[in-house]
Structures are given as structure tokens and as C-alpha cells.
Amino acid sequence: MHRILFGLLLALAFGSDLEAQTPFYQGKTITLLVGSSAGSTYDNYARFIAQHLGKHIPGNPPIIVQNMSGAGSMIAANNVYSVAKPDGLTIASINPALYFNQLAGKKEIQFDWSKFTWIGSPDRSEHVLYMRADAPYKTIQDVRRASEPPKCSATGTGTTGHYLPKLLGETIGTKFNIVLGYQGAPEMDLAAERGETQCRALTHAAWFSGQIYGTWRANGFDRVLMQTGRKRDERLPQVPTLNELMNEYRTDELSRRLATVVLSSNEFGRPYVTHPGIPAEQIKILREAFMKTMADPEFLAEAKKKKLDIEPTPGEEMGPLAKEVISQPPEVIERMKKLLEQ
């Protein structure tokens, strides 16, 4: 009897030790939700990262990419925050400016921006506004003086395509007719080619990495009217920054503060997030794996070939920033609500 009991205890101890040594992610699959349509720059980054991330996670789990586009990635953000289980098996690539909608009190929001678990971001990108070259708006000054505003495309409120033209109106007095409801970047660019719209705001990274934009530049299809950033991108030396334009048009202090809050979204880059309730051990694993991927020589070499900018931000730095942007005084929140009106 003693031998039997001893054998059982030994088996239990061995089994427990074996279970403790088995990586959590071994034998499991991670789902990566992408809040934009297939073929967009967000989608390209996500699929590329998914190819490399798993090998830096103990247990080497496969990562399946699932597009969940709509409402400027709000659907994906709501899903990973409120629907997905807090088990570390679902992460999401979302729009960095979704917090605008939370500040404005949009009822569709089912998340708290400050409570997401932040995994990291592969890049920090400023923005540009392109205009069809055959449109009668050759400069931002032309847009300010126009009797009929140009049509710009956007997927939804709180996205670059929506908030940047609106911010220009709030800070330097331009007017744009923003057409909402496009599924993603490919659809918006097709609208520009068809003449349904004339302009669109997007990131520097998308502008310089997208094949379609390279073709446009070669054919003289469009021009860039403005860019964000503290200084002009060396690849766009003739294009004025928003700061330069605000100085030129003597933008008031409250409008400048609004611009600061809005353009803080650039610091979030292309954020990867997961449920706020996942265990600390899984958070540590995912964050470390993400930053190891960003430093992987093979990953970086391939990113260069794909013309994907890599300037990563660790998740540990994004959490405090998320809390900071959500804490705004009433006057800024009121201006934000106005900015997000359709």
C-alpha cells in the first residue's frame, strides 16, 4: 500500500512539474484581429508581423489573421475588449485615434482606451493629405478660398481620413466634404481614381510603402498638400507642416491645444492591444515577443524590402500615454465633440 501511495504521489509531482514546464502557448493558436480591410497598410503590417511573432513566443503558437473591418476599426476594438476571452489568445491591430470617440462620448464605444493591455506598436508615423492633381486645389490656400469644398474619403469618425481634414478646419479654416463609410484604404483609393472623391488623409508609412501611391507619383496623379510632424519629412521638403500653417494663419491657443491632443495619436502608431484582464504572465510574454520581433534581423531585412517603416514602441510606454490623452479638460472635450461631427 505504501508503495502504491508513493507511486501515485510521484506521478502527481512529476505531472505537475511537467505541466509547469510546458509553455502556456504550446498547442494553442493566437487570433490577430485587424480592424481594417485586406490590402490596407494596417493589414500588411499585421500579416507580416504574424509571420514572425510566433517564433518569439515560448511554445511557438501559430497566429491566424482575421480582418474585422468597419467603423474605423471600432468593431475590432470593441470585440477584443468586450467579447474576446481574457486568455491572451486574441489580440487586435486597431486605429490609434479611436480614443477621440471615447472623449466625445460616442455610444458605440464598448471599451476604455486607458485600460487596454498594450502590446506594442511597430512604427510611429506622421500624416499627409493627398489631392488629385487635376482638382482645382493646388495648395491649402486654394482649399481655404474654395466656394465648393473638395471631397475626402474616410472609413469612419476617429480615423485619419476623417479627423485630419476636420482638424484643418478647426485650426486653419479649411473646409472639406468628408465622405464616410468606405471599408478600407483600397476602397478609398479606388474612389479617388474613379473621381468619386478628390482627397484623402493617411500616414507617411502608408504613403511611401503603398505600391499604388508609387504609381500615382510616377504618373503625376496626385500631390501632397500638407503633412504633420514637428519638421518636414526629408522626402517631402516642399510640403508645409500643420505647425507652419498654424503659425501662418495665427491659430488661437485652444485650437493649438486641440491639435496637440489629436496628433498625440501619432505616438500610438499602429497599436496592438488585447483584453485588459489577461494575466500578467501572458502580458509579459506577448510584450517581450513583440519587441524581440521588432529587433529580429530577418524581420527587419524583410521589412526593408517591403518598404515598411519599423520604429517600435513598447507596450509599457503606451499605457501611460493612453491614460494621459483620456484626461482632458471640458473645453478640449467640447472641441473634440465638434471635431467628430459628421
Side-chain angles (χ1 to χ4, degrees):
M1 179 62 71
H2 289 294
R3 289 181 179 178
I4 294 173
L5 288 173
F6 179 76
L8 286 172
L9 289 171
L10 188 63
L12 285 171
F14 180 75
S16 299
D17 186 57
L18 184 62
E19 184 177 347
Q21 292 178 12
T22 302
F24 170 80
Y25 284 99
Q26 185 171 312
K28 296 181 175 68
T29 299
I30 295 175
T31 298
L32 170 52
L33 304 178
V34 181
S36 55
S37 59
S40 66
T41 305
Y42 281 91
D43 181 64
N44 292 339
Y45 268 94
R47 292 182 184 277
F48 176 48
I49 289 171
Q51 293 172 7
H52 294 265
L53 182 62
K55 71 179 181 181
H56 295 290
I57 298 175
N60 307 123
I63 299 175
I64 298 175
V65 176
Q66 177 183 342
N67 292 92
M68 190 174 284
S69 59
S73 86
M74 191 185 301
I75 294 174
N78 285 342
N79 186 284
V80 75
Y81 191 96
S82 302
V83 179
K85 295 179 181 179
D87 55 11
L89 296 178
T90 305
I91 59 180
S93 164
I94 61 174
N95 188 287
L98 280 178
Y99 65 89
F100 298 175
N101 293 288
Q102 183 174 337
L103 283 173
K106 295 282 186 176
K107 65 181 186 303
E108 299 87 355
I109 293 292
Q110 298 172 18
F111 59 78
D112 184 335
W113 188 257
S114 67
K115 294 181 180 178
F116 270 120
T117 294
W118 301 88
I119 298 171
S121 171
D123 81 323
R124 306 182 193 192
S125 187
E126 297 296 340
H127 297 86
V128 298
L129 179 86
Y130 75 64
M131 182 75 68
R132 280 184 58 125
D134 59 3
Y137 318 98
K138 310 304 179 186
T139 66
I140 282 292
Q141 180 66 12
D142 291 337
V143 179
R144 292 181 83 241
R145 291 185 301 215
S147 57
E148 182 178 349
K151 292 181 179 179
C152 282
S153 60
T155 56
T157 60
T159 62
T160 304
H162 177 261
Y163 75 72
L164 190 58
K166 296 280 282 189
L167 181 63
L168 294 178
E170 289 289 310
T171 53
I172 61 173
T174 56
K175 291 184 180 180
F176 294 90
N177 181 0
I178 303 173
V179 184
L180 298 173
Y182 290 95
Q183 277 293 105
E187 293 81 7
M188 289 188 284
D189 295 329
L190 182 59
E193 291 184 329
R194 288 175 173 172
E196 297 171 12
T197 58
Q198 298 144 313
C199 50
R200 179 190 163 209
L202 69 166
T203 65
H204 273 97
W207 175 249
F208 286 109
S209 67
Q211 183 177 358
I212 187 172
Y213 309 121
T215 301
W216 286 2
R217 288 192 292 273
N219 296 336
F221 176 78
D222 67 334
R223 61 169 54 86
V224 176
L225 297 192
M226 60 77 58
Q227 60 183 316
T228 63
R230 295 176 183 173
K231 61 181 181 179
R232 298 185 183 190
D233 188 287
E234 61 183 14
R235 297 165 293 185
L236 295 170
Q238 305 304 318
V239 179
T241 67
L242 177 56
N243 283 334
E244 291 172 339
L245 293 169
M246 287 194 294
N247 289 337
E248 179 179 350
Y249 298 119
R250 300 180 180 180
T251 301
D252 64 84
E253 190 57 36
L254 182 57
S255 297
R256 287 175 181 270
R257 184 167 184 175
L258 175 66
T260 298
V261 174
V262 170
L263 296 179
S264 291
S265 63
N266 298 348
E267 296 297 315
F268 289 103
R270 299 178 192 277
Y272 285 71
V273 300
T274 188
H275 194 286
I278 76 167
E281 183 181 351
Q282 268 91 293
I283 297 174
K284 184 174 184 292
I285 290 171
L286 291 173
R287 284 176 171 173
E288 288 182 353
F290 187 87
M291 293 308 293
K292 286 179 180 178
T293 301
M294 296 298 108
D296 185 330
E298 182 182 346
F299 173 84
L300 292 172
E302 193 173 341
K304 187 175 182 180
K305 290 179 182 178
K306 292 177 178 292
K307 297 181 179 180
L308 296 176
D309 293 340
I310 302 297
E311 188 181 349
T313 303
E316 294 89 339
E317 293 182 11
M318 300 173 75
L321 178 61
K323 290 180 173 63
E324 180 182 336
V325 297
I326 288 298
S327 302
Q328 297 299 328
E331 60 269 25
V332 173
I333 290 177
E334 286 305 310
R335 291 291 295 274
M336 184 66 76
K337 288 179 179 179
K338 182 181 177 182
L339 184 81
L340 292 181
E341 291 175 354
Q342 295 188 10

